[in-house]
Coordinates of all heavy atoms in Angstrom, one line a residue:
M1 N 7.3 -14.8 8.4 CA 6.2 -14.0 8.1 C 4.9 -14.9 8.0 O 3.8 -14.5 8.3 CB 6.4 -13.2 6.8 CG 5.2 -12.5 6.3 SD 5.4 -11.6 4.8 CE 5.7 -12.9 3.6
E2 N 5.1 -16.1 7.5 CA 4.0 -17.0 7.3 C 3.3 -17.3 8.6 O 2.1 -17.3 8.7 CB 4.4 -18.3 6.5 CG 3.2 -19.2 6.3 CD 3.6 -20.4 5.5 OE1 4.7 -20.6 5.2 OE2 2.7 -21.2 5.3
A3 N 4.1 -17.6 9.6 CA 3.5 -18.0 10.9 C 2.7 -16.8 11.5 O 1.7 -17.0 12.1 CB 4.7 -18.4 11.9
E4 N 3.2 -15.6 11.4 CA 2.5 -14.5 11.9 C 1.2 -14.2 11.1 O 0.2 -13.9 11.7 CB 3.4 -13.2 11.8 CG 4.5 -13.2 12.8 CD 5.8 -13.9 12.3 OE1 5.7 -14.4 11.1 OE2 6.7 -13.9 13.0
Y5 N 1.2 -14.5 9.8 CA 0.0 -14.3 9.0 C -1.0 -15.3 9.4 O -2.2 -15.0 9.5 CB 0.4 -14.3 7.6 CG -0.8 -13.9 6.7 CD1 -1.2 -12.6 6.6 CD2 -1.5 -14.9 6.0 CE1 -2.2 -12.2 5.8 CE2 -2.6 -14.5 5.2 CZ -2.9 -13.1 5.1 OH -4.0 -12.8 4.3
V6 N -0.6 -16.6 9.6 CA -1.5 -17.6 10.0 C -2.1 -17.3 11.4 O -3.3 -17.5 11.6 CB -0.8 -19.0 10.0 CG1 -1.6 -20.1 10.6 CG2 -0.4 -19.4 8.6
A7 N -1.2 -16.8 12.3 CA -1.7 -16.5 13.6 C -2.7 -15.4 13.6 O -3.7 -15.4 14.3 CB -0.5 -16.1 14.5
L8 N -2.5 -14.4 12.7 CA -3.4 -13.3 12.6 C -4.8 -13.8 12.0 O -5.9 -13.4 12.5 CB -2.9 -12.2 11.6 CG -3.7 -11.0 11.3 CD1 -4.0 -10.2 12.6 CD2 -3.0 -10.1 10.3
S9 N -4.7 -14.7 11.1 CA -5.9 -15.3 10.5 C -6.7 -16.1 11.6 O -7.9 -16.0 11.7 CB -5.6 -16.2 9.3 OG -6.7 -16.8 8.8
Q10 N -6.0 -16.8 12.3 CA -6.6 -17.7 13.4 C -7.2 -16.8 14.5 O -8.3 -17.1 15.0 CB -5.6 -18.6 14.0 CG -6.2 -19.6 15.0 CD -7.2 -20.5 14.3 OE1 -7.0 -21.0 13.2 NE2 -8.3 -20.8 15.0
A11 N -6.5 -15.7 14.8 CA -7.1 -14.8 15.9 C -8.4 -14.2 15.4 O -9.3 -14.0 16.2 CB -6.0 -13.7 16.2
C12 N -8.4 -13.8 14.1 CA -9.7 -13.2 13.6 C -10.8 -14.3 13.6 O -11.9 -14.0 13.8 CB -9.4 -12.7 12.2 SG -8.4 -11.2 12.2
K13 N -10.5 -15.5 13.2 CA -11.4 -16.6 13.3 C -12.0 -16.8 14.7 O -13.2 -17.1 14.9 CB -10.8 -17.9 12.8 CG -10.8 -18.0 11.3 CD -10.2 -19.4 10.9 CE -9.8 -19.5 9.5 NZ -9.2 -20.8 9.2
D14 N -11.1 -16.7 15.7 CA -11.5 -17.0 17.0 C -12.4 -15.9 17.6 O -13.1 -16.1 18.6 CB -10.3 -17.1 17.9 CG -9.5 -18.4 17.7 OD1 -10.1 -19.3 17.0 OD2 -8.4 -18.5 18.1
L15 N -12.4 -14.7 17.0 CA -13.2 -13.6 17.4 C -14.7 -13.8 17.2 O -15.5 -13.4 18.0 CB -12.8 -12.3 16.8 CG -11.6 -11.6 17.3 CD1 -11.2 -10.5 16.4 CD2 -11.8 -11.2 18.7
F16 N -15.1 -14.5 16.1 CA -16.5 -14.6 15.8 C -17.3 -15.3 16.8 O -18.4 -14.8 17.2 CB -16.7 -15.2 14.4 CG -16.3 -14.3 13.3 CD1 -15.2 -14.7 12.5 CD2 -16.9 -13.1 13.0 CE1 -14.8 -13.8 11.4 CE2 -16.6 -12.3 12.0 CZ -15.5 -12.6 11.2
P17 N -16.9 -16.4 17.4 CA -17.7 -17.0 18.5 C -17.8 -16.1 19.7 O -18.8 -16.1 20.4 CB -17.0 -18.3 18.8 CG -16.1 -18.6 17.6 CD -15.8 -17.3 17.0
L18 N -16.7 -15.4 20.0 CA -16.7 -14.5 21.1 C -17.7 -13.4 20.9 O -18.5 -13.0 21.8 CB -15.4 -13.9 21.4 CG -14.3 -14.9 21.9 CD1 -13.0 -14.3 22.0 CD2 -14.7 -15.5 23.2
L19 N -17.8 -12.8 19.7 CA -18.7 -11.7 19.4 C -20.2 -12.3 19.5 O -21.1 -11.6 20.0 CB -18.4 -11.1 18.0 CG -17.1 -10.4 17.9 CD1 -16.9 -10.0 16.4 CD2 -17.1 -9.2 18.8
D20 N -20.4 -13.5 19.0 CA -21.7 -14.1 19.1 C -22.1 -14.3 20.6 O -23.3 -14.0 20.9 CB -21.8 -15.4 18.4 CG -21.7 -15.2 16.8 OD1 -22.0 -14.1 16.4 OD2 -21.4 -16.2 16.2
M21 N -21.2 -14.7 21.4 CA -21.5 -14.9 22.8 C -21.8 -13.6 23.5 O -22.7 -13.5 24.3 CB -20.3 -15.5 23.5 CG -20.5 -15.9 24.9 SD -19.2 -16.6 25.8 CE -18.0 -15.3 25.8
V22 N -21.1 -12.5 23.2 CA -21.4 -11.2 23.7 C -22.8 -10.7 23.3 O -23.5 -10.2 24.2 CB -20.3 -10.2 23.3 CG1 -20.7 -8.8 23.7 CG2 -19.0 -10.5 24.0
K23 N -23.1 -11.0 22.1 CA -24.5 -10.6 21.6 C -25.6 -11.4 22.4 O -26.6 -10.8 22.8 CB -24.6 -10.8 20.1 CG -23.9 -9.8 19.3 CD -24.1 -10.0 17.8 CE -23.3 -9.0 17.0 NZ -23.4 -9.2 15.6
E24 N -25.3 -12.7 22.6 CA -26.3 -13.5 23.3 C -26.4 -13.1 24.7 O -27.5 -13.0 25.3 CB -25.9 -15.0 23.2 CG -26.1 -15.6 21.8 CD -25.7 -17.0 21.8 OE1 -25.7 -17.7 22.8 OE2 -25.5 -17.5 20.7
L25 N -25.3 -12.8 25.4 CA -25.3 -12.3 26.7 C -26.0 -11.0 26.9 O -26.8 -10.7 27.8 CB -23.9 -12.2 27.3 CG -23.2 -13.5 27.6 CD1 -21.7 -13.2 28.0 CD2 -23.9 -14.2 28.7
G26 N -25.8 -10.1 25.9 CA -26.5 -8.8 25.9 C -28.0 -9.0 25.8 O -28.8 -8.4 26.5
N27 N -28.5 -9.9 24.9 CA -29.9 -10.2 24.8 C -30.4 -10.9 26.1 O -31.6 -10.6 26.5 CB -30.2 -11.1 23.6 CG -30.1 -10.4 22.3 OD1 -30.3 -9.2 22.2 ND2 -29.7 -11.1 21.3
A28 N -29.6 -11.7 26.8 CA -30.1 -12.4 28.0 C -30.3 -11.4 29.1 O -31.2 -11.6 30.0 CB -29.1 -13.4 28.4
V29 N -29.5 -10.3 29.2 CA -29.7 -9.4 30.3 C -30.5 -8.2 29.9 O -30.7 -7.3 30.7 CB -28.3 -8.9 30.8 CG1 -27.5 -10.0 31.4 CG2 -27.5 -8.2 29.8
G30 N -31.1 -8.2 28.7 CA -32.0 -7.2 28.4 C -31.4 -6.0 27.6 O -32.1 -5.0 27.4
I31 N -30.2 -6.1 27.2 CA -29.6 -5.1 26.3 C -30.0 -5.3 24.9 O -29.7 -6.4 24.4 CB -28.1 -5.0 26.5 CG1 -27.7 -4.7 27.9 CG2 -27.5 -4.0 25.5 CD1 -26.2 -4.9 28.2
P32 N -30.7 -4.4 24.2 CA -31.1 -4.7 22.8 C -29.9 -4.8 21.9 O -29.2 -3.8 21.7 CB -32.0 -3.5 22.5 CG -31.6 -2.4 23.4 CD -31.1 -3.1 24.7
V33 N -29.8 -6.0 21.3 CA -28.7 -6.2 20.4 C -29.3 -6.8 19.1 O -30.0 -7.8 19.1 CB -27.6 -7.2 20.9 CG1 -26.6 -7.5 19.9 CG2 -27.1 -6.7 22.2
G34 N -29.2 -6.1 18.0 CA -29.8 -6.5 16.8 C -28.8 -6.6 15.7 O -27.5 -6.6 15.9
K35 N -29.2 -6.8 14.5 CA -28.3 -6.9 13.3 C -27.6 -5.6 13.0 O -26.6 -5.6 12.4 CB -29.1 -7.4 12.1 CG -29.6 -8.9 12.2 CD -30.2 -9.4 11.0 CE -30.6 -10.8 11.1 NZ -31.0 -11.4 9.9
D36 N -28.2 -4.5 13.4 CA -27.6 -3.2 13.1 C -26.6 -2.8 14.2 O -26.0 -1.7 14.2 CB -28.6 -2.2 12.9 CG -29.5 -2.0 14.1 OD1 -29.6 -2.9 15.0 OD2 -30.2 -1.0 14.2
T37 N -26.4 -3.7 15.2 CA -25.4 -3.4 16.3 C -24.0 -3.9 15.9 O -23.8 -5.0 15.4 CB -25.8 -4.2 17.6 OG1 -27.2 -3.8 17.9 CG2 -24.9 -3.8 18.7
Y38 N -23.1 -3.0 16.0 CA -21.7 -3.3 15.6 C -20.8 -3.2 16.9 O -21.0 -2.4 17.8 CB -21.2 -2.3 14.6 CG -21.9 -2.4 13.3 CD1 -22.9 -1.5 13.0 CD2 -21.6 -3.4 12.4 CE1 -23.6 -1.6 11.8 CE2 -22.3 -3.5 11.2 CZ -23.3 -2.6 10.9 OH -24.0 -2.7 9.7
M39 N -19.8 -4.0 16.9 CA -18.7 -4.0 17.9 C -17.4 -3.7 17.2 O -17.1 -4.3 16.2 CB -18.7 -5.3 18.6 CG -19.9 -5.6 19.5 SD -19.6 -7.1 20.4 CE -21.2 -7.9 20.0
H40 N -16.7 -2.8 17.8 CA -15.3 -2.4 17.3 C -14.3 -3.3 18.1 O -14.2 -3.3 19.3 CB -15.0 -1.0 17.6 CG -13.7 -0.5 17.1 ND1 -13.4 -0.3 15.8 CD2 -12.6 -0.3 17.8 CE1 -12.2 0.0 15.6 NE2 -11.6 0.0 16.8
V41 N -13.5 -4.1 17.3 CA -12.5 -5.0 17.9 C -11.2 -4.6 17.2 O -11.1 -4.5 16.0 CB -12.9 -6.4 17.6 CG1 -11.8 -7.3 18.1 CG2 -14.2 -6.8 18.2
Q42 N -10.1 -4.5 18.0 CA -8.8 -4.3 17.5 C -8.0 -5.5 17.7 O -7.9 -6.1 18.7 CB -8.1 -3.1 18.2 CG -8.5 -1.8 17.6 CD -7.6 -0.7 18.3 OE1 -7.3 -0.7 19.5 NE2 -7.2 0.3 17.5
V43 N -7.3 -5.9 16.6 CA -6.3 -7.0 16.7 C -4.9 -6.4 16.4 O -4.7 -5.8 15.3 CB -6.6 -8.1 15.6 CG1 -5.6 -9.2 15.7 CG2 -8.0 -8.7 15.9
H44 N -4.0 -6.6 17.3 CA -2.7 -6.0 17.1 C -1.7 -7.0 16.5 O -1.7 -8.1 16.9 CB -2.2 -5.5 18.5 CG -3.0 -4.5 19.1 ND1 -2.8 -3.1 18.8 CD2 -4.0 -4.5 20.0 CE1 -3.6 -2.4 19.5 NE2 -4.4 -3.2 20.2
E45 N -1.0 -6.5 15.5 CA 0.0 -7.3 14.9 C 1.3 -6.4 14.7 O 1.2 -5.3 14.3 CB -0.5 -7.8 13.5 CG 0.5 -8.5 12.6 CD 0.9 -9.8 13.3 OE1 0.1 -10.6 13.7 OE2 2.2 -10.0 13.3
D46 N 2.4 -7.0 15.0 CA 3.7 -6.2 14.9 C 4.6 -6.6 13.8 O 5.6 -6.0 13.6 CB 4.4 -6.3 16.2 CG 4.9 -7.7 16.6 OD1 4.5 -8.6 15.9 OD2 5.7 -7.8 17.5
N47 N 4.1 -7.5 13.0 CA 5.0 -8.0 11.8 C 4.5 -7.2 10.6 O 3.4 -7.3 10.1 CB 4.8 -9.5 11.6 CG 5.7 -10.0 10.6 OD1 5.5 -9.8 9.4 ND2 6.8 -10.7 11.0
V48 N 5.5 -6.4 10.0 CA 5.2 -5.6 8.9 C 4.8 -6.4 7.7 O 3.8 -6.1 6.9 CB 6.4 -4.7 8.5 CG1 6.1 -3.9 7.3 CG2 6.7 -3.8 9.7
G49 N 5.4 -7.5 7.4 CA 5.1 -8.4 6.3 C 3.7 -9.0 6.4 O 2.9 -9.0 5.4
A50 N 3.3 -9.4 7.6 CA 1.9 -10.0 7.8 C 0.9 -8.9 7.6 O -0.2 -9.1 7.0 CB 1.8 -10.6 9.2
L51 N 1.2 -7.7 8.1 CA 0.2 -6.6 7.9 C 0.1 -6.2 6.5 O -1.0 -5.9 6.0 CB 0.7 -5.4 8.7 CG 0.5 -5.5 10.2 CD1 1.2 -4.3 10.9 CD2 -0.9 -5.6 10.6
T52 N 1.2 -6.2 5.7 CA 1.1 -5.9 4.3 C 0.3 -6.9 3.5 O -0.5 -6.5 2.7 CB 2.6 -5.8 3.7 OG1 3.3 -4.8 4.4 CG2 2.5 -5.4 2.3
L53 N 0.5 -8.2 3.8 CA -0.3 -9.2 3.2 C -1.7 -9.1 3.5 O -2.6 -9.3 2.7 CB 0.3 -10.6 3.6 CG 1.4 -11.2 2.7 CD1 1.8 -12.5 3.3 CD2 1.0 -11.3 1.3
A54 N -2.0 -8.8 4.8 CA -3.4 -8.7 5.2 C -4.2 -7.5 4.5 O -5.4 -7.6 4.3 CB -3.5 -8.5 6.7
R55 N -3.4 -6.5 4.2 CA -4.1 -5.3 3.5 C -4.2 -5.5 2.0 O -4.9 -4.8 1.3 CB -3.3 -4.1 3.8 CG -3.4 -3.7 5.3 CD -2.7 -2.4 5.5 NE -2.8 -2.1 6.9 CZ -1.8 -1.8 7.7 NH1 -0.6 -1.8 7.2 NH2 -1.9 -1.5 9.0
L56 N -3.5 -6.5 1.4 CA -3.5 -6.7 0.0 C -4.8 -7.4 -0.5 O -5.3 -8.2 0.3 CB -2.3 -7.5 -0.5 CG -1.0 -6.8 -0.6 CD1 0.1 -7.8 -1.0 CD2 -1.0 -5.7 -1.5
E57 N -5.3 -7.1 -1.6 CA -6.3 -7.9 -2.2 C -5.7 -9.1 -2.8 O -4.5 -9.1 -3.2 CB -7.0 -7.1 -3.4 CG -7.7 -5.8 -3.0 CD -8.2 -5.1 -4.1 OE1 -8.4 -5.7 -5.2 OE2 -8.5 -3.9 -4.0
P58 N -6.4 -10.2 -2.8 CA -5.8 -11.5 -3.3 C -5.3 -11.4 -4.7 O -4.4 -12.1 -5.1 CB -7.0 -12.5 -3.2 CG -7.8 -12.0 -2.1 CD -7.7 -10.5 -2.2
K59 N -5.9 -10.5 -5.6 CA -5.4 -10.4 -6.9 C -4.0 -9.8 -7.0 O -3.3 -10.0 -8.0 CB -6.4 -9.5 -7.7 CG -7.8 -10.0 -7.9 CD -8.6 -9.1 -8.7 CE -9.6 -8.5 -7.8 NZ -10.5 -7.5 -8.4
R60 N -3.7 -9.0 -6.0 CA -2.4 -8.3 -6.0 C -1.3 -9.0 -5.3 O -0.2 -8.5 -5.2 CB -2.6 -6.9 -5.4 CG -3.5 -6.0 -6.2 CD -3.6 -4.6 -5.6 NE -2.3 -4.0 -5.6 CZ -1.9 -3.2 -4.7 NH1 -2.6 -2.9 -3.7 NH2 -0.7 -2.6 -4.8
M61 N -1.5 -10.2 -4.8 CA -0.5 -11.0 -4.2 C 0.5 -11.5 -5.2 O 0.2 -11.8 -6.3 CB -1.1 -12.1 -3.3 CG -1.8 -11.6 -2.1 SD -2.2 -12.9 -1.1 CE -2.8 -12.0 0.3
T62 N 1.8 -11.7 -4.7 CA 2.8 -12.2 -5.6 C 2.7 -13.7 -5.7 O 1.9 -14.3 -5.0 CB 4.2 -11.9 -4.9 OG1 4.3 -12.6 -3.7 CG2 4.4 -10.4 -4.7
P63 N 3.3 -14.3 -6.7 CA 3.2 -15.8 -6.8 C 3.7 -16.5 -5.6 O 3.2 -17.6 -5.3 CB 4.2 -16.1 -8.0 CG 4.2 -14.8 -8.8 CD 4.0 -13.7 -7.8
R64 N 4.6 -16.0 -4.8 CA 5.1 -16.7 -3.6 C 4.1 -16.6 -2.5 O 4.1 -17.4 -1.6 CB 6.4 -16.0 -3.1 CG 7.6 -16.4 -4.0 CD 8.8 -15.9 -3.4 NE 9.1 -16.7 -2.1 CZ 10.1 -16.4 -1.3 NH1 11.0 -15.4 -1.6 NH2 10.3 -17.1 -0.3
S65 N 3.2 -15.6 -2.5 CA 2.2 -15.4 -1.4 C 0.8 -15.8 -1.9 O -0.1 -15.6 -1.1 CB 2.3 -14.0 -0.9 OG 1.9 -13.1 -1.9
K66 N 0.6 -16.3 -3.1 CA -0.7 -16.7 -3.5 C -1.4 -17.8 -2.7 O -2.6 -17.8 -2.5 CB -0.7 -17.1 -5.0 CG -0.7 -15.9 -5.9 CD -1.7 -16.0 -7.0 CE -1.5 -14.8 -7.9 NZ -2.7 -14.2 -8.2
H67 N -0.6 -18.7 -2.1 CA -1.2 -19.8 -1.3 C -1.8 -19.2 0.0 O -2.7 -19.8 0.6 CB -0.2 -20.9 -1.1 CG 0.9 -20.5 -0.2 ND1 2.0 -19.8 -0.6 CD2 1.2 -20.8 1.1 CE1 2.9 -19.6 0.4 NE2 2.4 -20.2 1.4
Y68 N -1.3 -18.1 0.4 CA -1.9 -17.4 1.6 C -3.3 -17.0 1.3 O -4.2 -17.2 2.1 CB -1.2 -16.2 2.0 CG 0.3 -16.4 2.4 CD1 1.3 -15.5 2.0 CD2 0.6 -17.4 3.3 CE1 2.6 -15.7 2.4 CE2 2.0 -17.6 3.7 CZ 2.9 -16.7 3.2 OH 4.2 -16.9 3.6
A69 N -3.5 -16.5 0.1 CA -4.9 -16.0 -0.3 C -5.9 -17.1 -0.3 O -7.0 -16.9 0.0 CB -4.8 -15.3 -1.7
I70 N -5.5 -18.3 -0.7 CA -6.4 -19.4 -0.8 C -6.8 -19.9 0.6 O -8.0 -20.1 0.8 CB -5.7 -20.6 -1.6 CG1 -5.5 -20.1 -3.0 CG2 -6.6 -21.8 -1.6 CD1 -4.6 -21.0 -3.8
K71 N -5.9 -20.0 1.5 CA -6.2 -20.7 2.8 C -6.5 -19.7 3.9 O -7.4 -20.0 4.7 CB -5.0 -21.6 3.2 CG -5.4 -22.5 4.3 CD -4.3 -23.5 4.5 CE -4.7 -24.5 5.6 NZ -3.7 -25.5 5.8
Y72 N -5.8 -18.6 3.9 CA -5.9 -17.7 5.1 C -6.5 -16.3 4.9 O -6.8 -15.6 5.8 CB -4.5 -17.5 5.7 CG -3.9 -18.8 6.1 CD1 -2.8 -19.3 5.4 CD2 -4.3 -19.6 7.1 CE1 -2.2 -20.5 5.7 CE2 -3.7 -20.8 7.5 CZ -2.7 -21.2 6.7 OH -2.1 -22.4 7.1
H73 N -6.6 -15.9 3.6 CA -7.0 -14.5 3.4 C -8.5 -14.4 3.2 O -9.0 -14.3 2.2 CB -6.3 -13.9 2.1 CG -6.3 -12.5 2.0 ND1 -5.4 -11.7 2.6 CD2 -7.2 -11.6 1.4 CE1 -5.7 -10.4 2.4 NE2 -6.8 -10.4 1.6
W74 N -9.2 -14.4 4.3 CA -10.6 -14.4 4.3 C -11.2 -13.2 5.1 O -12.3 -12.8 4.9 CB -11.3 -15.7 4.8 CG -10.8 -15.9 6.2 CD1 -9.7 -16.6 6.6 CD2 -11.5 -15.5 7.4 NE1 -9.6 -16.6 8.0 CE2 -10.7 -15.9 8.5 CE3 -12.6 -14.7 7.7 CZ2 -11.0 -15.6 9.8 CZ3 -12.9 -14.4 9.0 CH2 -12.1 -14.9 10.0
F75 N -10.4 -12.6 6.0 CA -10.9 -11.5 6.8 C -10.8 -10.2 6.2 O -10.2 -10.0 5.1 CB -10.1 -11.5 8.2 CG -8.6 -11.5 8.0 CD1 -7.9 -10.3 8.0 CD2 -7.9 -12.6 8.0 CE1 -6.6 -10.3 7.9 CE2 -6.5 -12.6 7.9 CZ -5.9 -11.4 7.8

């Protein structure tokens, strides 16, 4: 479960530069992209344990999973 949760966190981190690049490309070709423009992105995960951890607030994590909250639970 830890490896899947780390991979989910890394996938979300990798999305931010891509979203910035899409916004820059939109501005370059004349598509108005501002701060109020939102993009819907889906990240698929098939591990139930990783999904459960991702949906928990850091306060509600168990003692065994608290180290996830410190390093990976930012999204």
Side-chain angles (χ1 to χ4, degrees):
M1 174 181 66
E2 181 178 1
E4 288 86 359
Y5 190 75
V6 171
L8 179 62
S9 176
Q10 187 63 41
C12 291
K13 280 184 194 177
D14 291 344
L15 281 175
F16 288 116
L18 293 175
L19 293 175
D20 289 340
M21 183 180 68
V22 168
K23 287 181 182 180
E24 287 180 22
L25 287 173
N27 286 329
V29 296
I31 299 171
V33 179
K35 291 187 178 186
D36 58 342
T37 304
Y38 295 100
M39 290 183 230
H40 179 77
V41 178
Q42 277 188 319
V43 178
H44 296 277
E45 175 63 50
D46 63 351
N47 187 282
V48 176
L51 288 173
T52 303
L53 273 178
R55 291 184 183 126
L56 284 178
E57 296 177 18
K59 294 181 253 180
R60 296 187 56 216
M61 290 190 171
T62 64
R64 286 186 69 185
S65 62
K66 282 227 184 226
H67 68 282
Y68 300 135
I70 295 169
K71 191 167 183 180
Y72 303 110
H73 196 84
W74 58 271
F75 52 90

